[in-house]
Structure formats: structure tokens, C-alpha cells
Amino acid sequence: MLDAAIKALSQLISPPMRSILWRSIGLALVLITVLAIGLQRLLSWFATSGEVWLEGLLGPGWHTSIEVLSWIVSIAAGLGVVFGGVFLMPAITSLVASLFVDDVADIVEREHYPAERPGVALPVGQAILEGVRTALLTIVVYLIALPLVLFAGAGFLVFFLAAAWLLGREYFELAAMRFRSPEEAKAMRRDNAATIFTAGLFIAAFVSIPIVNLATPIFGMAFMVHMHKRLSGPRPELIEPSRQMR
């Protein structure tokens, strides 16, 4: 696993990968800015007008709970775009990765596995759908963990572990679906859940580093291509006939 991470890191700035890296970073910056501003506006609205609307919807019995929630949201809105950028980074990387999955995987496979059958490019719609699903799930999980961040440091641990599970799941399935049906890829991920979660910790650590985390889609995808190859085991059809006879 460490060897796979080192190989993925070494390819980040390799000549074939640079064009993808810069495009990935540019798209991530645009998405982060747009979504962070949108999140900040939404939180600001809830901290002002949303409290009255929600109390009218739920009834006066929820007044205290809504006041506490409004206070939490007011703090989050005060943190503005910076908070939004950090909060949304794992979700953003899922979206960006879905657009560059095949470009990255092709380069990794050509350099490290030239003798093996190359993967089949995913339909763009399917790749984007997987990215959107993971991004939305990431936001939901993080919203649930948000109060823990504001009231106790344990929330940061929840964020980290959630990112490891979500990103490990996303990148592995994208890598596996180049060789397997979506159902088979998901089944393989479930069968190797502990290993893939551990691999996801590497991606979660990477996405936690400011600035560097803009390259997460490239690192995460390259890393999981290697992990999928390792978990797939020996490929007998690739061994020379003379060796198979022994």
C-alpha cells in the first residue's frame, strides 16, 4: 500500500500527467469558489431569515433547538469562503476525479502495467453520476458532523474518518469499473472494505493539506489504480506459456 502511494505521488508532476494536473487544479479552484460562496450565502440566509421560516414550519415547541442551530449556522457563515473551501474540498475532488478518471488511469496503466490489458473508459455520464453521488453524500455526512466540530474537537476526527471512507470508496470504484461492471466493482470494494478504508486514509491525509489538496483527484485516482491491480491478484493470461507449463 505504501509502495502504491509512493508511485502515485511520483507521477503527480511527471510530464504526461502535468496537463491533467493543471486542468484538474483549475477546475477545482473554480468549483470551490462558486460552491463556497453559495454555501456562505445559504448559511447567512438561514442565520437571519431561515430561523423564522423553520420555526413556522416546525412549530413553537422547536424554538430553543432552532435558536441553537441558528447560532451554530451563524458561526459557520462568519467563517465564510475559507470555511466553505475546506468543508467542500473532499466533495469537490470527487466531482473533479469523475472527469479525469480515464486520463489518469490510462497514464498509470501504460507506465506501470504495459503488459496487461488496458481498462475500458467509463461513460462520461456514469463517471459524473458517481462523482455527484459521492459529493452529495460527503456534504450530508459533514453537515451531520458539523456540530461536533463547533462543540468538540472530536468532530475533526469524524471529518477525517468520513473522508477516508467516502474518498476511498469513490476512487476505488472508479478504478475498478474500468475492468468490471458497476455491480462487480462495488462487490469487490465491499469484500475488501478494510483494505480500501485504510487506503482511503492516505487520500484523506492528502486532501487535508492546504494547496496540495488541489491535486487530490490525480493522486487518489493513480493510487487506487495501483490498489485495484494489487487486489485483483495474479493475471494468469498475462504469464508466458513457458512459465505456465512449469
Side-chain angles (χ1 to χ4, degrees), residues 164-246:
W165 178 69
L166 291 164
L167 296 179
R169 172 180 179 270
E170 162 78 0
Y171 286 105
F172 182 82
E173 288 185 1
L174 287 175
M177 281 191 287
R178 285 172 52 82
F179 297 89
R180 307 164 188 273
S181 68
E183 294 73 21
E184 290 173 336
K186 294 177 189 299
M188 184 179 185
R189 188 257 306 166
R190 289 191 294 269
D191 291 341
N192 297 277
T195 299
I196 293 169
F197 173 74
T198 304
L201 293 174
F202 284 79
I203 304 176
F206 194 95
V207 82
S208 301
I209 306 172
I211 307 301
V212 174
N213 56 12
L214 291 170
T216 302
I218 310 299
F219 169 74
M221 195 62 225
F223 180 40
M224 283 304 186
V225 168
H226 290 298
M227 290 303 302
H228 174 257
K229 291 289 186 180
R230 283 160 172 70
L231 291 174
S232 294
R235 305 284 297 281
E237 70 275 15
L238 301 176
I239 302 174
E240 297 87 352
S242 60
R243 292 179 59 189
Q244 292 188 53
M245 295 291 292
R246 295 176 185 176

Side-chain angles (χ1 to χ4, degrees), residues 46 50-63 65-66 69:
F46 183 82
E51 182 180 355
V52 176
W53 171 81
L54 189 59
E55 185 169 344
L57 181 67
L58 298 178
W62 289 84
H63 178 74
S65 299
I66 293 173
L69 180 60

Side-chain angles (χ1 to χ4, degrees), residues 25-39 81-82 84-93 96 213-214:
I25 289 174
L27 180 58
L29 285 173
V30 171
L31 289 175
I32 288 169
T33 301
V34 172
L35 292 179
I37 292 174
L39 177 63
V81 175
V82 174
V86 174
F87 177 83
L88 291 169
M89 180 58 78
I92 294 296
T93 64
V96 175
N213 56 12
L214 291 170

